[in-house]
Amino acid sequence: MRKFTFELNEKVTRTEIRFTNRFGIELAGDLYLPKDANNKKLPALVIGGPFGAVKEQASGRYANEMASLGFAALAFDGSYTGESGGTPRNVAAPDINTEDFMAAVDGIGLQSNIDRERIGVIGICGWSSIALNAVSMDKRVKAIATVSLVDVAAGFGGLPLEQRTQLLESLSQQRWADAENGTFAPMADQLPAELPENPDMDTKETVEFYRTPRGFHENSILSNGRWNATMPFSFMNTPVMNYIDEISPRPTLFVAGEHAFSKSLSEMAYEKAKEPKELLIVSDAWHSTLYDNMEKIPFSELEEFFTKNLK
């Protein structure tokens, strides 16, 4: 029996679906629908993230709640992760993951009860920047919201030249080791083995989400594995945020926690985006607070945003 980190809402049904991206990789998703939908055409949401999580964690939680509010919602695993296909495992790539979002739009739009003219996207954490990249191209998407945005490409590719060169030298040598061994070495653990005595709240909440019963899932890379060590290669020369101004005139909502390390990233993306755009700062919240804290995630504002813009 599959494990989820949240309870299915009594007003919602959940169905496993599979769809294939243009790279030929089969993606695994869960389609959440309101039970009272009857045969009417529904507005739809595609939801991905966080970076290193799976659909049984935060994206599924968001889909579950948004379905209870009247939306069809598809939470999915990106290529090479979770129950989706692709080898080697535990890899992220901006071009392939951008295509994953567009393939998910295909997947939900082919459902008979979906209104294809009312499709939106929610991206969480590192998948927010990838979602923005996808929506900048995919004009079928009418509105997008990001939550706790992180720009993974900028984190790797935006390093100062000396650090960037050192990282590329290291990654290049790792490729020799992987080729000689016939396996892909894992990246160093991105989370501490145990919390320091007085951890900052961002670290504390992220470790709790991935490594304790609060949000642990066996299929999640950050819960139960590590990224492939050479994974950063594909992000080094692919600045995925370059085209977010082309989302306009479709609306964008940026959501960030007041105390989150990622708040400034949402603010910078907000400045770069064109109108119509909104920036929502959630008081007394950190980065991972918005993964699963039902008292802090602004579902009423998300409902209002998508109801208004998916007409």
Side-chain angles (χ1 to χ4, degrees):
M1 179 179 240
R2 292 174 62 202
K3 178 200 169 193
F4 291 82
T5 60
F6 55 91
E7 296 293 327
L8 183 66
N9 190 293
E10 61 182 11
K11 301 177 183 177
V12 171
T13 64
R14 177 172 56 213
T15 306
E16 293 184 49
I17 70 169
R18 299 291 185 269
F19 49 96
T20 303
N21 69 18
R22 287 166 64 92
F23 292 96
I25 299 170
E26 184 181 69
L27 302 179
D30 288 318
L31 179 63
Y32 293 77
L33 297 172
K35 284 183 177 179
D36 62 358
N38 299 317
N39 294 318
K40 66 182 179 182
K41 295 281 189 178
L42 296 170
L45 298 172
V46 165
I47 306 174
F51 195 72
V54 287
K55 63 188 179 304
E56 293 84 1
Q57 294 173 304
S59 59
R61 180 182 293 273
Y62 273 69
N64 183 47
E65 188 68 16
M66 295 307 291
S68 76
L69 298 173
F71 298 86
L74 172 61
F76 69 98
D77 291 331
S79 295
Y80 311 109
T81 69
E83 294 181 321
S84 288
T87 55
R89 304 303 295 168
N90 298 356
V91 172
D95 54 346
I96 295 175
N97 295 144
T98 294
E99 162 60 22
D100 289 343
F101 267 107
M102 294 192 280
V105 173
D106 297 340
I108 200 166
L110 289 175
Q111 305 301 310
S112 61
N113 57 344
I114 300 304
D115 184 344
R116 291 187 187 177
E117 297 305 312
R118 293 192 291 161
I119 297 178
V121 162
I122 299 176
I124 307 168
C125 184
W127 276 68
S128 287
S129 57
I130 294 169
L132 289 165
N133 193 41
V135 173
S136 71
M137 292 186 286
D138 195 336
K139 306 303 183 183
R140 298 174 298 175
V141 178
K142 306 305 182 188
I144 176 171
T146 70
V147 179
S148 295
L149 183 149
V150 170
D151 184 356
V152 179
F156 291 125
L159 294 170
L161 180 59
E162 184 177 354
Q163 289 178 256
R164 172 183 167 83
T165 301
Q166 289 174 350
L167 176 56
L168 286 170
E169 288 282 1
S170 175
L171 293 174
S172 298
Q173 293 305 312
Q174 185 62 55
R175 286 193 70 113
W176 279 130
D178 290 352
E180 290 169 350
N181 295 330
T183 59
F184 294 89
M187 183 184 288
D189 197 343
Q190 293 181 279
L191 299 177
E194 53 185 60
L195 286 171
E197 188 172 335
N198 294 301
D200 65 272
M201 282 296 292
D202 268 325
T203 299
K204 180 176 183 293
E205 287 218 335
T206 301
V207 169
E208 285 180 355
F209 178 79
Y210 284 108
R211 300 288 171 86
T212 75
R214 168 180 163 183
F216 175 90
H217 196 279
E218 61 184 6
N219 290 344
S220 165
I221 293 170
L222 292 188
S223 284
N224 196 38
R226 298 182 192 177
W227 289 107
N228 181 310
T230 55
M231 179 272 285
F233 251 131
S234 59
F235 286 94
M236 297 298 289
N237 287 1
T238 313
V240 296
M241 299 281 283
N242 273 14
Y243 300 98
I244 66 171
D245 59 330
E246 295 184 16
I247 294 173
S248 177
R250 295 165 296 157
T252 306
L253 170 64
F254 299 92
V255 180
E258 177 186 13
H259 307 300
F261 77 89
S262 54
K263 175 188 171 188
S264 62
L265 301 174
S266 290
E267 292 171 335
M268 286 189 288
Y270 173 78
E271 290 301 320
K272 187 172 183 178
K274 289 184 177 178
E275 295 286 356
K277 59 185 178 179
E278 302 175 41
L279 176 63
L280 174 61
I281 304 300
V282 181
S283 64
D284 198 28
W286 285 261
H287 181 83
S288 300
T289 306
L290 301 180
Y291 288 1
D292 63 346
N293 188 321
M294 298 299 286
E295 294 181 0
K296 291 294 182 179
I297 299 172
F299 282 117
S300 60
E301 287 86 351
L302 288 167
E303 177 188 16
E304 180 182 357
F305 173 77
F306 285 112
T307 298
K308 173 184 174 183
N309 294 301
L310 300 183
K311 297 195 241 190

